[in-house]
Amino acid sequence: MDPRLEGRNFGLVQVFSDSVIDHHRQTKNYSHRQRCQAQSRPSPSEFAMTNPPERRQPQTFGLPWPDLNDGLFYNDVVRPSDSELTLIEFYSSKYKNSAPRLGWVQRIESGQIAVDGRADTDPNTILRVGSELVYHRLPWREPEAPYLLEVLYEDDDMVALNKPSGLQVLPGGLFQQRTALTQLQWWASKQGSSLARQEPHPVPVHRLGRGTSGILLCAKTKLAKTHLAAYFADGTSSIEGNRIANLETCEVRKITKIYRALVTGILSDDKVIIKQPIGMVQYPGVAKGLYVASPSGKPALSKVAVVERDVQGNHTLVQVEIQSGRPHQIRIHLSFIGHPLLGDPLYVGGGQPKCFDPEIIDENFAKDGGYQRPTKPVPGDCGYYLHAHQVVLSHPTTNQETKITAPLPSVLLTQEEAKVNSIH
């Protein structure tokens, strides 16, 4: 446990009961009393699969990561607008967020770029319309990441996983292989399913930050993917067009997401509704920009309820229901009201990043030719306490209400919950 949380002395307490998973005959549900971290590590030669029916243990799966990933291949076809450009002009302008100009020179001269099937080491080669370009990003060792995933719920249409903190959902940045998506692909290859209506492998239908743990919904069929993606899109689009006031009351929704979080400071109100819009600004180390609290941003709505207050430690345990899906919404909103997540390295007060001054771009490049890793915090950095605890949704094919719960990490338990946990 984080040493900052030892000796917590809780004052005024308000505990919100959590729903339990409905057990349906047509689905597989797994007990959560034993955490996936406690499972034995899988052999490198085969998948870890733990699910003795008689003991109701959770099913987990995952393969240890190889030392190096497979590298990447980026394909381009020269368009008329790009003809007559040199090889270095093409890459340093089109992919300027990947590497500085000198970095691209290094990549070209080392033979990592092929033109029409042959490596071209001359940065000044003139490109012709229709030429096929391939850039080979050499294999690299990705940062450490957990690999075991627990199955919380599974049926023929979808699977809900308990994602550990530190595991990225989709490929991006330094994490191209060490992702939940890769483990799903490997898992599906072991299942050997050939049903025409199924996707090649289960696919995540929503985002979950790398440092956030908890429920990750994945579709197993094309129909489920379409419906689940629509649920999340509807939740976000419904708050646009000045409809927030209606949503605060009684609008029926297809999906509800509830998180548990630990924030700094003591919230004075038992319940808080946050309507702060979220926009994007340029930020060093984040190619597409950083999401922040912004008056000109897109509407976002979060409902916060106090679960327990630690007066002595100056922390508050909260439950958050989000009715929109803006990236890093909970982190930004809680920071905006002056109670950022405990341990959040990026968002501090006001929904803004800790370091907001423009940073001079370092034209020095890393071993692979790309930019050096940013020295300032970025969204993928971990250290905060946020858990996707519960999802209640209309099943994508049966429309039956389905409740899924991911067991809480010990640091996010109330004192009463911790006592009950210790008994069991």
Side-chain angles (χ1 to χ4, degrees), residues 8 10 13-19 258-261 306-308 317-319 387 389-390 405-424:
R8 283 162 50 177
F10 290 87
V13 175
Q14 181 177 0
V15 179
F16 290 77
S17 62
D18 296 310
S19 301
I258 296 174
Y259 293 72
R260 182 75 68 89
V306 171
V307 178
E308 200 167 50
L317 202 57
V318 298
Q319 173 177 291
H387 183 72
H389 180 39
Q390 187 174 90
T405 301
L408 291 162
S410 59
V411 71
L412 295 178
L413 294 172
T414 64
Q415 283 192 327
E416 187 61 32
E417 289 167 340
K419 289 178 182 177
V420 173
N421 236 30
S422 63
I423 294 175
H424 293 289

Side-chain angles (χ1 to χ4, degrees), residues 2 9 55 60 64 69 83 108 142 186 192 195 201 209 224 261 282 341 389-390:
D2 192 313
N9 179 25
R55 294 186 180 182
T60 64
N69 61 26
S83 65
I108 294 170
E142 299 183 12
W186 291 347
L195 294 177
H201 54 81
Q282 290 186 339
L341 296 184
H389 180 39
Q390 187 174 90

Side-chain angles (χ1 to χ4, degrees), residues 356-373:
F356 200 54
D357 293 334
E359 182 180 83
I360 297 175
I361 296 177
D362 185 359
E363 289 294 330
N364 294 320
F365 49 88
K367 186 177 180 180
D368 69 346
Y371 288 109
Q372 298 283 358
R373 291 200 64 184

